[in-house]
Amino acid sequence: SVWPSSAPPVYADSAILIDARTGETIYQKNADVRRPVASTQKLLTALIVAERESLDEPITITTSDTRVEPTKLGLRAGEKYPRRQLLTAIMVKSSNDAAAALGRDHAGSTQAFAVEMNRVAASLGANDSYFVNPHGLPAAQYSTARDIARIAYRAYRNRDLRQMMLMRSMAFRH
């Protein structure tokens, strides 16, 4: 269902527009339908890392972090990077290997990070979501436009993430 009915046509199957200052819904179309959300769930990964980790501390890449396709930075096992650099790569380049590394580093494994993702999502009122990985690659996971908007609303309030969201590009140095 579309609200308001006077809105111009939107061709996406689901959509929501909220006021970034208040969180008030301005427009919605099938905003509560569960769908795969792909890379947009990296907003939740980024939010968890940005709010709970020291961003300037380095982490070491493992082999499992590198086994994600197709959007990758080409990280190699044994390399070390500050969390901030990997987090920026998620926000600007949608890098799956950086998301895998940050999730694993935060919780010890992809599975443990998924538990944290679901807990944090629920704490934000995103109750129609279920996540199983930090990057959004195909799996038995889903969310809604409304839930992702709730996560994005919170992520936008984080100063570090907001600065990354404003970046048009970045140079990643190995």
Side-chain angles (χ1 to χ4, degrees), residues 15-86:
I16 193 165
L17 175 65
I18 64 170
D19 183 309
R21 289 170 300 201
T22 66
E24 178 185 349
T25 300
I26 297 168
Y27 170 86
Q28 64 184 4
K29 175 183 176 184
N30 300 321
D32 298 306
V33 175
R34 291 177 175 176
R35 301 186 187 283
V37 293
S39 285
T40 59
Q41 73 191 51
K42 287 181 179 121
L43 282 171
L44 181 55
T45 297
L47 178 63
I48 291 169
V49 171
E51 288 190 346
R52 293 174 173 81
E53 298 288 352
S54 167
L55 297 186
D56 296 314
E57 189 174 301
I59 68 168
T60 303
I61 305 304
T62 67
T63 301
S64 66
D65 301 334
T66 66
R67 293 188 178 137
V68 289
E69 298 291 340
T71 309
K72 295 171 44 166
L73 292 168
L75 303 177
R76 292 182 295 277
E79 294 177 329
K80 293 184 182 211
Y81 299 97
R83 284 187 189 99
R84 183 179 309 278
Q85 187 178 7
L86 296 174

Side-chain angles (χ1 to χ4, degrees), residues 89-104:
I90 289 174
M91 298 303 292
V92 178
K93 295 182 171 281
S94 193
S95 302
N96 292 329
D97 48 0
L102 288 168
R104 186 237 352 119

Side-chain angles (χ1 to χ4, degrees), residues 150-162:
R150 286 180 173 129
I151 293 164
Y153 180 77
R154 173 69 173 265
Y156 189 71
R157 265 129 199 80
N158 181 284
R159 184 179 38 128
D160 290 311
L161 294 179
R162 192 170 51 255

